[in-house]
């Protein structure tokens, strides 16, 4: 059991909310500390990273002065405006945090005394460039400007109360009377001093609130679990880039999958897989603009020179080179090292990305019609290439750092790619080598059924001729590869339950000598797999069990309904946060369960309410 030593880090992963403007994001702890913030983009260097290194990472804290207070956080409903509350016998205070969605890159922090006068204190410790540069602080009218060596960039912090420079820290303190406010605003760039006053803060709040309310109101949400789904959708939206159309996998780097272990990755880039899954979930809620923006982003980078036309991931601006390196000067979250930035997996072969991408394109085409001819030409070229390459060994969906293999995940998603291409070509009368695509798709199907089925364990396995299970098999009915009533599938589902499921938590695989992923340590339960399991249960007809599993998973969300990548059995959040894969799989599972509970008899996969056979009497 992994347990986090709270003495080594000031705030646990789960003790955070997130704000953003579709360019970058900031993590805000319950105590009012911004302890993770990259500037100016989500994949740029950090300005604050005390979550990774409490002593040297830098932070931006606005909070009620030390006293006996309890911390609580909420979001303004249907928005990404975060409210941190400080509750004490001597009074109540709040700090409202948001980033205007106007391209300014600002962070607005407004403190209010709710009951009785409250003393708020400010402490800003900028640590630019992953704490590799020394910040230069200089007082300016209304605040302090911050520059750093080796860069012409400069940012400023404006406050409605007096602040001072104390060495490498900006400090301030003010007493706010009941129902009155003060503010601090982060402003990037070397521009003339902006008009930052209470009127600006109020207008920015109203505009930001209106933007998020309009975005939520444009979607269609399930009747069950609406609040959870809305929060997940808003979180996914924060991971999109308004500037480029790309979508980040997560907001952070360096948060460990294994405490004090080496599984610490940088997820601030645009994976084709994760982005495509995100678009699938958003489209089920009625959002298609994000799909169009991402497809445009990707097709601009589909080149004639590379083998397949696509990389597995890109920088948020579309850059192709993502060099992995370590920040050895940072202590790491709870002492977990190395702290990595960049991602070596960018150079891997991962054949599954074509399936996720084509599924997203197919869904977008059903809502928005035939793609542009230039786009389809590139898509068809990719699928022509895939016809001759689908059998290649690779690193799989989980980006193994072990030996390349013929993974089920890759074979399955290659089938999806050709299947969706065929559907589009037929439905939309698009030019394609249909006979070849169909023949190769059917070869893949035969390959999976004959080469990945292990009769000894009664399940489809992780890779060709193996004996190990992988939770990715749960995608088989979700992508319509197999009928959920097929005996091969129901047997596989039972095997997954027996070997990978513990209560409602699902491991993606068990690391053994046979399927060694090249890394030390045993990770926690992979949260996306837990929601895949819920949806697979529901699609197979075990709706009551799926609903119970879904409700149990809610108890692992943080206080705001946010999830990281993984969970320990003790409920600690592990891995990068918030994680897009988790929230998109929550949305998909919730929508399917909602349809089942509302009696969608028109759905061919609706089989009523039953439980899996349970010899242990758990249910």
């Amino acid at each position: 059991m992994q347990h986090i030593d709270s003495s080594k880090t000031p705030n646990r992963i789960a003790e955070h909310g997130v704000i953003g403007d579709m360019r970058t994001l900031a993590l805000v702890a319950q105590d009012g500390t911004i302890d993770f913030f990259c500037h100016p983009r989500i994949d740029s260097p950090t300005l604050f990273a005390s979550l990774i290194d409490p002593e040297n990472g830098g932070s931006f804290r606005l909070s009620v002065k030390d006293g006996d207070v309890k911390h609580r956080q909420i979001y303004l409903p249907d928005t990404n405006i975060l409210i941190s509350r400080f509750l004490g016998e001597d009074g109540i205070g709040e700090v409202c945090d948001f980033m205007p969605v106007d391209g300014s890159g600002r962070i607005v922090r407004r403190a209010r005394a709710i009951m009785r006068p409250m003393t708020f204190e400010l402490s800003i410790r900028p640590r630019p460039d992953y704490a590799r540069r020394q910040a230069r602080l200089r007082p300016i009218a209304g605040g302090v400007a911050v520059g750093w060596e080796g860069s012409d960039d400069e940012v400023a912090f404006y406050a409605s109360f007096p602040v001072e420079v104390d060495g490498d820290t900006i400090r301030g303190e003010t007493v706010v009377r009941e129902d009155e406010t003060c503010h601090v605003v982060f402003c990037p760039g070397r521009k003339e001093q902006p008009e930052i006053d209470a009127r600006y803060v109020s207008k920015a709040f109203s505009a930001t609130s209106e933007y998020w309310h309009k975005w939520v109101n444009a979607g269609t949400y399930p009747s069950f679990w609406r609040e959870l789904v809305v929060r997940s959708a808003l979180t996914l939206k924060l991971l999109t880039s308004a500037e480029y159309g790309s979508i980040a996998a997560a907001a952070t780097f360096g948060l460990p999958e294994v405490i004090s272990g080496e599984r610490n990755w940088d997820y601030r880039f645009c994976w084709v897989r994760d982005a495509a899954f995100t678009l699938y979930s958003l489209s089920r809620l009625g959002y298609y603009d994000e799909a169009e923006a991402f497809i445009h982003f990707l097709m601009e980078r589909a080149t004639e020179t590379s083998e397949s036309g696509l990389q597995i991931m890109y920088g948020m601006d579309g850059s192709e080179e993502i060099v992995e390196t370590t920040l050895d000067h940072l202590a790491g979250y709870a002492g977990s090292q190395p702290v990595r930035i960049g991602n070596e997996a960018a150079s891997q072969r991962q054949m599954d990305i074509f399936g996720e991408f084509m599924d997203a394109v197919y869904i977008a085409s059903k809502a928005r019609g035939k793609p542009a001819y230039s786009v389809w030409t590139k898509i068809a070229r990719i699928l022509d290439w895939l016809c001759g390459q689908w059998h290649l060994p690779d690193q799989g969906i989980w980006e193994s750092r072990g030996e390349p293999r013929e993974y089920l995940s890759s074979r399955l998603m290659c089938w999806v790619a050709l299947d969706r291409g065929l559907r589009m070509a037929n439905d939309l009368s698009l030019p394609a080598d249909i006979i070849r695509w169909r023949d190769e798709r059917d070869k893949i199907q035969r390959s999976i059924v004959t080469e990945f089925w292990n009769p000894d364990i009664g399940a489809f396995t992780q890779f060709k001729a193996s004996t190990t299970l992988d939770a990715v098999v749960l995608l088989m009915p979700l992508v319509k590869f197999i009928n959920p009533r097929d005996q091969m599938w129901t047997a596989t589902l039972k095997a997954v339950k027996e070997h990978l499921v513990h209560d409602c938590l699902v491991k993606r695989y068990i690391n053994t000598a046979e399927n060694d992923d090249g890394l030390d340590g045993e990770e926690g339960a992979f949260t996306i797999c837990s929601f895949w399991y819920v949806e697979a249960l529901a699609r197979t007809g075990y709706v009551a069990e799926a609903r119970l599993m879904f409700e149990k998973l809610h108890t692992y969300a943080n206080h705001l309904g946010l999830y990281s990548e993984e969970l320990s059995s003790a409920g600690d959040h592990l891995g990068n946060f918030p994680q897009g894969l988790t929230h998109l799989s929550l949305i998909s599972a919730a929508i399917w369960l909602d349809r089942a509970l509302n009696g969608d008899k028109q759905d061919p996969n609706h089989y009523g309410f039953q439980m899996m056979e349970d010899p242990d009497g758990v249910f």
Side-chain angles (χ1 to χ4, degrees), residues 269-327:
F269 307 109
C270 180
W271 270 257
V272 172
R273 172 193 312 113
D274 299 51
F277 277 143
T278 297
L279 300 178
Y280 173 77
S281 292
L282 289 178
S283 69
R284 297 190 75 179
L285 300 174
Y287 297 108
Y288 296 98
D289 290 347
E290 292 77 10
E292 288 188 357
F294 175 69
I295 292 168
H296 178 73
F297 166 84
L298 205 56
M299 289 299 96
E300 282 191 325
R301 285 148 189 88
T303 65
E304 301 286 347
T305 54
S306 66
E307 282 187 333
S308 66
L310 294 177
Q311 291 190 176
I312 69 164
M313 74 175 80
Y314 296 89
M316 293 300 285
D317 63 353
S319 55
E320 298 181 358
E321 188 174 1
I322 302 175
V323 179
E324 182 176 304
T325 187
T326 60
L327 301 176

Side-chain angles (χ1 to χ4, degrees), residues 403-420:
E403 291 298 315
R405 305 178 188 276
E406 293 182 53
Y407 282 99
L408 173 65
S409 59
S410 300
R411 197 63 50 91
L412 175 65
M413 298 313 290
C414 285
W415 178 89
V416 170
L418 292 171
D419 181 75
R420 303 316 190 252

Side-chain angles (χ1 to χ4, degrees), residues 127-139:
R127 299 292 185 269
D129 190 26
Y130 303 112
R132 294 182 296 195
R133 306 293 182 194
Q134 183 67 40
R136 298 189 301 266
L137 311 183
R138 62 180 179 88

